[in-house]
Amino acid sequence: MNPNRKPIVAGNWKMNNTVAEALTLVTEIKRQAAEGKGVEIVLCPPFTALQAVSNAISGTAIGLGAQNMHWEKSGAFTGEVSATMLRELYCHYVIIGHSERRTLFGETDEAVNRKIKTALASNLHPIVCVGETLQQRQANQTEAIIRAQVLNGLKDIAADQFANIIMAYEPVWAIGTGMTATPGQAQDVHRFIRGLLQELADEKIAQTVRIQYGGSIKPANAKELFHQSDIDGGLIGGAALDAVAFMAIVNAAL
Ligand code: 13P
């Protein structure tokens, strides 16, 4: 954590929560969120619950994010959702390039790059996910993989847009496995990502970008992770489905 960057904790609900379940969860988060001042909170429900959650958090400081979007404005893209559609629901964030999209749905760095550009052009803050698999880490390829994902993902994006981007380091081996990166392992990669941002822009700009850690964050390990100088919050999966656990993680970022 660095006092010059406001911590941001986002809940990625993935394919969980009907509208009714989403409303129960958001009501509880809202009740507890007053304690979380000083941390930006973002909820990323599935598309079907965006409208309901948007209404429920209206007038609060809680932000709304989607989990994906298409890069085109509109057209014959069955099953896809556009940036304009998200903005219409007062969505201000969108997760781009989550490892589940990359591995299960074939999302490439090129697609990630297009989506980031469209998101920025539509005044959406992309939460750009990068991360290596266990096999890649064991083969000492972590930096090469992250480097390719960051440089290709942010290709041709103007440096003055960087402040609108949130990066998320999510080691694939830590997602949903209970195997968290150690604070030191995470900090090393976060520092490396900030170095890449500096290469693409400059040091001043790189210092403004928030980099979240994601992968089995729980109330018990959040504080130590958030204590690292280049970790500016978290992208929470499983623990974000429980209001008490999620808010404990938010409070750990204070
Ligand atoms: P878990 O917190 O369930 O490991 O998921 C992390 C994640 O993928 C958030 O995007």
Side-chain angles (χ1 to χ4, degrees), residues 12 14 98 100 170 174-177 214-217 235-239:
N12 174 10
K14 308 193 180 183
H98 191 280
E100 286 149 20
E170 297 207 312
I175 296 176
T177 59
S216 296
I217 301 194
L235 186 53
I236 321 301

Side-chain angles (χ1 to χ4, degrees), residues 64-167:
L64 185 67
Q67 299 173 17
N68 183 30
M69 54 163 248
H70 198 270
W71 60 80
E72 291 290 351
K73 281 196 163 71
S74 63
F77 301 100
T78 301
E80 294 291 330
V81 166
S82 75
T84 310
M85 294 168 185
L86 298 180
R87 284 302 313 257
E88 190 184 29
L89 303 182
Y90 300 101
C91 222
H92 289 104
Y93 301 84
V94 59
I95 299 172
I96 305 276
H98 191 280
S99 72
E100 286 149 20
R101 303 260 3 132
R102 292 178 190 258
T103 47
L104 303 173
F105 303 100
E107 203 157 295
T108 61
D109 285 340
E110 194 202 345
V112 167
N113 180 249
R114 287 183 179 198
K115 290 180 180 193
I116 297 170
K117 286 177 182 164
T118 301
L120 290 170
S122 311
N123 286 322
L124 281 164
H125 295 287
I127 299 178
V128 180
C129 302
V130 297
E132 82 288 358
T133 64
L134 185 57
Q135 214 184 9
Q136 289 162 341
R137 173 163 283 266
Q138 286 169 342
N140 283 323
Q141 292 169 345
T142 300
E143 291 196 350
I145 295 294
I146 300 291
R147 183 177 183 87
Q149 289 176 344
V150 172
L151 298 189
N152 295 330
L154 300 184
K155 194 165 174 245
D156 299 329
I157 289 168
D160 65 2
Q161 287 284 346
F162 277 30
N164 296 319
I165 297 175
I166 294 132
M167 298 299 298

Side-chain angles (χ1 to χ4, degrees), residues 130 168-172 174-176 179-181 186 190 212-217 225 231 233-237:
V130 297
Y169 170 53
E170 297 207 312
V172 179
I175 296 176
M179 243 167 54
T180 324
H190 280 236
Q212 296 175 318
Y213 169 80
S216 296
I217 301 194
L225 284 160
I231 300 185
L235 186 53
I236 321 301

